[in-house]
Amino acid sequence: MKKLSLLFSIMLTAFAFNSYAQSPINVGIKTGLNFTDFSSNPKEYSTKNSSGFGVGAMARINISRSYIQADLMYTEKSIKFESANGGSDKKTLKNIEIPVVYGYKLLKSPLYNVRLFGGGVYSVVLNNLSKGAVDEAFNEFDKSNIGYRVGAGVDILKFTVDVSYDGGLSNISKSFSSKPNTWFIAVGYKFL
């Protein structure tokens, strides 16, 4: 019985190594939670943190310990705006986001990787926000935004876990200064 158990363990380990051979190209899906804050200026508007979610696809090109990854994500980010005169309005930004990052594997093995990454994010808001108590603030709302992304991740076999921070480089409105800042925790699965 011990020999059979040992043989089974060796076969299972060999299968795991073989099925996770480091491919130069990975394609998969990912989903996760985001926590968004909007810096705002002038001071008559304040915001409160809110949570949301994201779901989409990823593609990664591996070059030794380095890699380039691009995602195509649908995200929803909630935010509550409050004006100095007592009005408030909760908005949900429905976005398409395309982050492209360069990463480096600090630890690399057939079973797991520990990674750091950074790059840019382009996002486009799909819904119209100019309704509600703080309507005036969205008169010149810009539906596209450019930002940066930094983060760390772990790959375990075909699964990935990433924690990233997105900072806005451009304002979401011409009428007042506001940039989205988001923490994103994502879990993914690589088909290739």
Side-chain angles (χ1 to χ4, degrees):
M1 185 69 170
K2 287 184 181 180
K3 288 182 181 180
L4 185 60
S5 181
L6 178 64
L7 180 62
F8 181 72
S9 296
I10 291 171
M11 288 174 50
L12 186 61
T13 303
F15 175 75
F17 274 96
N18 187 39
S19 68
Y20 189 71
Q22 295 272 342
S23 171
I25 297 176
N26 299 128
V27 177
I29 57 171
K30 67 192 297 188
T31 187
L33 298 174
N34 62 53
F35 304 92
T36 303
D37 179 34
F38 280 76
S39 62
S40 64
N41 189 14
K43 303 276 190 242
E44 61 260 20
Y45 294 101
S46 63
T47 61
K48 293 190 175 180
N49 290 338
S50 292
S51 60
F53 72 92
V55 62
M58 57 168 275
R60 184 186 299 171
I61 300 172
N62 297 290
I63 308 160
S64 185
R65 290 178 91 90
S66 299
Y67 67 91
I68 297 171
Q69 181 171 315
D71 300 343
L72 178 61
M73 302 290 295
Y74 170 80
T75 64
E76 290 192 6
K77 298 177 181 179
S78 296
I79 195 71
K80 185 176 182 182
F81 286 89
E82 295 180 343
S83 63
N85 64 9
S88 69
D89 197 13
K90 187 171 182 180
K91 300 292 186 181
T92 300
L93 298 172
K94 297 178 181 180
N95 301 317
I96 293 293
E97 295 185 352
I98 305 170
V100 178
V101 298
Y102 166 81
Y104 184 78
K105 298 168 189 164
L106 298 173
L107 298 174
K108 180 182 173 188
S109 82
L111 294 177
Y112 69 91
N113 297 314
V114 177
R115 306 173 277 107
L116 293 177
F117 55 86
V121 180
Y122 176 75
S123 62
V124 176
V125 178
L126 301 176
N127 58 325
N128 184 6
L129 297 180
S130 56
K131 294 188 185 329
V134 290
D135 186 42
E136 316 80 51
F138 295 102
N139 286 340
E140 297 178 45
F141 185 77
D142 188 357
K143 290 201 168 212
S144 64
N145 187 269
I146 297 173
Y148 63 89
R149 173 171 287 185
V150 293
V154 176
D155 299 323
I156 302 171
L157 296 175
K158 292 188 174 276
F159 293 94
T160 69
V161 178
D162 290 344
V163 176
S164 60
Y165 176 79
D166 294 357
L169 294 176
S170 58
N171 292 322
I172 62 165
S173 175
K174 295 174 183 150
S175 61
F176 70 107
S177 174
S178 182
K179 296 178 182 178
N181 302 296
T182 303
W183 285 97
F184 190 51
I185 301 168
V187 176
Y189 180 78
K190 297 181 281 189
F191 294 113
L192 290 177

